[in-house]
Amino acid sequence: MRFMRLVALLAIPAHVLLAQQAPATRGGPLTLDDAITIARQNNPSLAQTRNYVRNADATLKTMYGALLPSASASVGSSYTQGGTQYYQGVALGSTADSYNSNYRLGFNYTVAAGAVFAPKAGRASRAAAEANVTSATEGLRSSVTTQYIQTLEEQATAALNDTLVMTAKGQLDLANAKMEVGAGTILDVRTAEVALGQARVSALQSHNQAQIEKLKLFQLMGVPADTSAVLTTQFQIGKALPAVDELITMARRVNPDLLAKKSTQLADEANLKVAKSTYLPSLNLSTGVGGTAFGYASVDPLVTQAQTQAALSFGSCLSSDSIRVGAGLKARGCNSALSPAAVDAIRSNLQSSNKPFRFASTPLSFSVGISLPIFNNFQREANVENARVAHDNASFDLRSRDLQLATDVSTAYLNVVTAAQTIDLRTTTAAQATEALAFADESYKVGAKTFLDVTTARGQYEQALVARVNAIYDYHKAFAALESAVGRPLR
């Protein structure tokens, strides 16, 4: 019976063992597809990469905007307090409080060769940003898949260690039973107790590591960890693969990272053309309309100023009339003050012209110019050379990534093939170790084997089962690495 139980245990896949050992209270199921979807929505690093597309959109908009004219509008008003004005030390007379207002609406259009080439470069840069997002998304899918498999492996190892604890406990019970009937020794019991303690420690550490790996999985997903979630995706072994040359060809066609390198090269090529365009002339057109207005806050100071001026002119008027009379001409008559009619006329004229916010249009202006850069202290040459170096480096980077791609796909393919063969060998070894342990167990019962033989067989049995579980998940991780190298899922 013990032999049949061990054989049946060996035949059960690791993920089924895990399901049997799952606690009664647990969270909802979590498939690999769900984990990848959640990660794509919440992973902070991927969100940061997506933001570069927003920057590229804004930059592209400004490049298109450079092909459009710019417009500006201004409105202003000033107030000047009345008083005596001086110019180079000479008093110019007293003025009243005044307001001065103006407005202007200007249009300017500057077009350079670089502005013509810039939108194409902006579109190429945006395509490169989107390609980087696609590459980062595929990289995240690969990371989540690998971590999901790693978590399953640790959980399967923990489940296996739980069964090994049961095996060690069964051997302790057997040693106690043999001792009670006088067929065993206290050394056999102590040896079995040590083995049971070691098995419990291994199981405890395995469960702890399984929880840690699950925490890492949820960290990649970008959401708070649910340590009670149950990973339900099952991975098949023995998936038929295309030839390695076909996989390399497929990878060169679909690998997001390689495509991102190509997009970067195209963007740098467009930026190089923009840098070279700085040697070409640029055209500038500008025009604008405006208006101005002037007025006084009050006309009374101006009337007073006119009366004062009339009084100051009275003496000069008398002298002039004396000369006229002496020459036989009629005197004009002089007044030391303005007449009420003259004061009213001054007030009427000033009030009719006092329009502080009634704008008078200024003449329309229009200008055109062509600018041809000749020498700017080698700044253009430096910019062109920097753009050329960036383009060349992008080409070298693309070539290097293509070579690495072929190596990565070939290496991952060989690892998958080797891992599949390793599973077969580990399964055979595990079956042999199971039979050996069962034989040692039964032989010890009848006294044909010592407990040391049983302990040795159990150690080999444990190593064989652990190695088999590791081989299974090494295959799944190798397959995930192959998918990552190709750049797309293969199952």
Side-chain angles (χ1 to χ4, degrees):
M1 287 297 294
R2 186 182 301 272
F3 172 76
M4 295 302 295
R5 182 176 65 83
L6 293 175
V7 171
L9 176 62
L10 180 62
I12 298 176
H15 64 269
V16 176
L17 284 175
L18 174 63
Q20 292 177 348
Q21 297 297 325
T25 303
R26 53 187 176 181
L30 178 66
T31 65
L32 176 60
D33 291 339
D34 291 339
I36 293 174
T37 301
I38 294 173
R40 287 172 176 170
Q41 295 173 349
N42 299 279
N43 183 270
S45 298
L46 182 59
Q48 288 177 336
T49 305
R50 287 197 184 102
N51 284 338
Y52 292 123
V53 177
R54 295 168 54 192
N55 290 339
D57 286 335
T59 302
L60 181 59
K61 184 179 294 185
T62 60
M63 290 177 177
Y64 278 114
L67 299 175
L68 301 175
S70 60
S72 62
S74 62
V75 177
S77 180
S78 62
Y79 166 78
T80 303
Q81 185 178 15
T84 303
Q85 303 293 327
Y86 292 89
Y87 179 74
Q88 295 183 351
V90 178
L92 301 180
S94 178
T95 61
D97 296 350
S98 62
Y99 296 95
N100 187 18
S101 303
N102 60 79
Y103 75 90
R104 178 171 176 77
L105 180 62
F107 299 91
N108 185 74
Y109 182 62
T110 300
V111 58
V116 177
F117 291 105
K120 183 177 180 181
R123 291 193 299 269
S125 298
R126 189 188 187 284
E130 289 182 336
N132 287 331
V133 171
T134 303
S135 178
T137 302
E138 173 59 24
L140 179 62
R141 185 203 65 79
S142 177
S143 298
V144 171
T145 301
T146 301
Q147 186 58 42
Y148 193 96
I149 293 173
Q150 181 66 34
T151 304
L152 285 178
E153 179 181 6
E154 293 300 332
Q155 291 179 338
T157 302
L160 175 61
N161 283 327
D162 288 340
T163 63
L164 295 179
V165 169
M166 296 171 57
T167 302
K169 189 175 183 305
Q171 290 184 344
L172 176 59
D173 294 339
L174 179 59
N176 284 324
K178 292 275 290 184
M179 183 177 175
E180 288 178 359
V181 299
T185 64
I186 188 63
L187 180 60
D188 295 342
V189 174
R190 294 294 179 262
T191 302
E193 290 174 345
V194 171
L196 177 59
Q198 292 174 340
R200 286 173 174 169
V201 170
S202 297
L204 178 64
Q205 293 176 343
S206 297
H207 282 286
N208 179 67
Q209 189 61 37
Q211 292 293 85
I212 292 175
E213 297 301 332
K214 186 178 289 187
L215 291 174
K216 294 179 180 179
L217 174 62
F218 278 93
Q219 179 184 356
L220 275 176
M221 293 164 57
V223 295
D226 178 12
T227 55
S228 61
V230 180
L231 309 187
T232 58
T233 297
Q234 301 179 10
F235 297 91
Q236 301 300 322
I237 298 176
K239 171 69 176 179
L241 290 174
V244 63
D245 292 338
E246 296 180 13
L247 290 174
I248 293 175
T249 302
M250 180 190 301
R252 285 173 173 159
R253 187 177 67 254
V254 303
N255 185 275
D257 189 44
L258 184 65
L259 297 179
K261 302 294 185 186
K262 291 180 180 179
S263 297
T264 301
Q265 183 196 35
L266 294 176
D268 289 336
E269 183 178 354
N271 289 329
L272 178 58
K273 292 181 180 179
V274 173
K276 290 180 178 179
S277 67
T278 55
Y279 287 94
L280 301 177
S282 59
L283 174 67
N284 179 264
L285 304 172
S286 63
T287 185
V289 295
T292 183
F294 180 83
Y296 295 101
S298 174
V299 298
D300 291 338
L302 297 178
V303 172
T304 302
Q305 182 180 359
Q307 291 174 339
T308 303
Q309 186 64 32
L312 293 175
S313 300
F314 179 69
S316 175
C317 181
L318 292 177
S319 299
S320 177
D321 277 356
S322 298
I323 295 174
R324 288 176 64 87
V325 171
L329 299 176
K330 182 180 180 180
R332 294 179 300 178
C334 297
N335 294 317
S336 59
L338 294 177
S339 63
V343 172
D344 292 339
I346 293 175
R347 288 184 180 275
S348 177
N349 291 334
L350 289 177
Q351 288 176 350
S352 62
S353 61
N354 188 22
K355 302 175 181 179
F357 297 105
R358 295 182 182 180
F359 294 97
S361 299
T362 58
L364 177 67
S365 63
F366 184 83
S367 65
V368 59
I370 296 179
S371 174
L372 178 64
I374 298 177
F375 179 71
N376 64 344
N377 305 102
F378 301 108
Q379 293 182 7
R380 273 181 312 182
E381 289 75 9
N383 293 334
V384 170
E385 188 62 23
N386 290 336
R388 183 177 288 111
V389 168
H391 173 263
D392 293 343
N393 287 342
S395 300
F396 294 141
D397 196 17
L398 176 61
R399 180 185 175 190
S400 175
R401 186 64 183 90
D402 183 75
L403 295 173
Q404 180 187 353
L405 182 68
T407 301
D408 290 346
V409 172
S410 299
T411 301
Y413 182 86
L414 294 175
N415 288 339
V416 170
V417 173
T418 301
Q421 296 173 351
T422 301
I423 290 177
D424 294 337
L425 295 175
R426 293 296 188 187
T427 300
T428 301
T429 302
Q432 293 170 346
T434 302
E435 294 178 1
L437 177 59
F439 178 76
D441 235 0
E442 298 298 332
S443 298
Y444 177 69
K445 288 181 181 180
V446 298
K449 293 285 186 179
T450 66
F451 194 76
L452 178 60
D453 296 329
V454 175
T455 302
T456 302
R458 184 186 58 79
Q460 295 174 346
Y461 167 77
E462 291 180 357
Q463 293 176 358
L465 289 189
V466 171
R468 173 180 173 270
V469 171
N470 291 339
I472 291 174
Y473 287 98
D474 285 345
Y475 170 84
H476 294 318
K477 286 186 283 189
F479 203 99
L482 177 60
E483 292 178 326
S484 177
V486 172
R488 54 165 292 181
L490 298 174
R491 56 182 174 183

